[in-house]
Structure formats: structure tokens, C-alpha cells
Amino acid sequence: MPTPEDICDQMEKLTADLVGLSLCDRQNYPVLRDLGQGRREIGIGDRGNISFALKNVPYHEIYSELERTQTYNLRMLDGALIQMMYRFWDNQVETHRLAFFPSPFLEEFQNNPKIYLEDVIYAEVIKKNIVPFPLRFDFDCRDGVAVDVDHPRSHLTLGQYQNCRIPVSSPMTPYHFIGFILRNFYNTAYRQYCTKISIFPHAFDVSITDREMELIYVQAPTQQSRRCL
């Protein structure tokens, strides 16, 4: 089971890797805080208002506010924002928020594809049929929050839909989350650079219930892999 120090170390090294490979152009390194009473939090400093991302406003306004206030860990070269936040209680993960906010302003890339053909990071965004949408992996095991099937402790939300909570088998580490984003949304860059990104063996314990396993759900990695992300 990864500790807060393990998770913070993953976030720091993965950030350095993506910066070093020129896959992101702006970054905020993680901050590990002691909240008292056995709780510790890994966040992105004092920047911005995380709750704004959940407001009922147009997506382009949410994105613009997060970018303006630098409320992100990583900003990819195409403008996509990545957030990673964890809270631990007695060294056990209590909550996490792992979010991906692609840029809603892709016209520059899509209208001028020749400019970006040489940059592998842009290979997936120059097609005009691309529809940017946010996604978020949430985990919350606090009393009174999780509800079997209706609100799984670990779940995936797509496109800001209020009741979209696809069960996930366990909390997710930064390593597995970044691997998911690169493989599925930057596949050209992933195939070129995956061997140059740090590998981490950690995984969290299974949190999914028996009833949730009867539904369609996401299986998070649970064992060490020596392959790239």
C-alpha cells in the first residue's frame, strides 16, 4: 500500500519526466501538507478553487478559470490540464481526485494541421471530429459518502455528468493515471516515450463491492508491471 510519501514521490518524478520530454509546458509540483489529527494531503499549492470545476457553468468557462488560476499539476502542450490530489488518514488513502481537462479551444490545431504534424503530442488533436470532454477518477471512503452501486467509493466520471459514476476496482496511483491519459489521449507520444518514463510498483487495495462487480466497471492495476506505462 503506497504511503503519502510514495504518492508525492510519484507525482514529483512523473512531473519531471513529462517536463523533460517536453510533453507539458507548465507545471506545479505537489505539496505534502500535515492537516492534523492524522490527516495529510497532497495538493497543488494554494492555487485556484478546485470546487469551480464542479459548478454548473459551460465547460469552456471551467477550463479557462482553471488555466487562469493555474489550478493544475500539468498543462500539456495542447493545453490539456491534469490535476492530481490525495488525502490520507493514518497513512491510508481517504480521498483522491485525478482529473483530465482537455482544451476546448482546439480550432488552432484542427484548422492548421500542417503546423503540428511534426510534433507527436498533437497527432491525436488535429482531427476535426475530436470532441474534448473532461474525465475524473474519484475515490472517497469517508462514512456517509459512498453508497453501494449508486456512489462507488472509487469511480470514473465522464463529461461532468452528475450521475455518471462508473465503478473502479480500487483507488488509482498517479503512475497508473498518467499512463491511462498518455495511452488513450496521446498515443503517438506514448509509444515514442513510454520507456523514458519512471516505473512505480505501488498499487492500492481493492475497494469495489460484490454488487458493483456485477456491473460494467474499470479494473485498475493491482500488481507491479515491469513494462512501460
Side-chain angles (χ1 to χ4, degrees), residues 26 52-53 57-72 75 79 81 101-105:
R26 295 183 187 175
F52 190 86
V57 298
Y59 176 55
H60 71 272
E61 293 185 20
I62 293 173
Y63 172 89
S64 295
E65 178 67 8
L66 296 177
E67 184 180 39
R68 182 187 70 81
T69 58
Q70 299 183 43
T71 311
Y72 53 78
R75 194 186 81 162
L81 310 178
F101 295 94
S103 172
F105 310 111

Side-chain angles (χ1 to χ4, degrees), residues 3-48:
T3 66
E5 289 80 8
D6 292 329
I7 294 300
C8 192
D9 181 60
Q10 282 194 28
M11 292 167 66
E12 289 176 349
K13 290 180 179 176
L14 290 168
T15 297
D17 288 344
L18 296 185
V19 171
L21 293 170
S22 297
L23 296 180
C24 76
D25 61 356
R26 295 183 187 175
Q27 68 285 330
N28 292 302
Y29 280 88
V31 177
L32 177 58
R33 303 185 186 89
D34 189 341
L35 304 179
Q37 298 182 331
R39 283 187 167 88
R40 288 192 286 173
E41 179 180 76
I42 305 167
I44 51 178
D46 298 324
R47 298 184 182 278

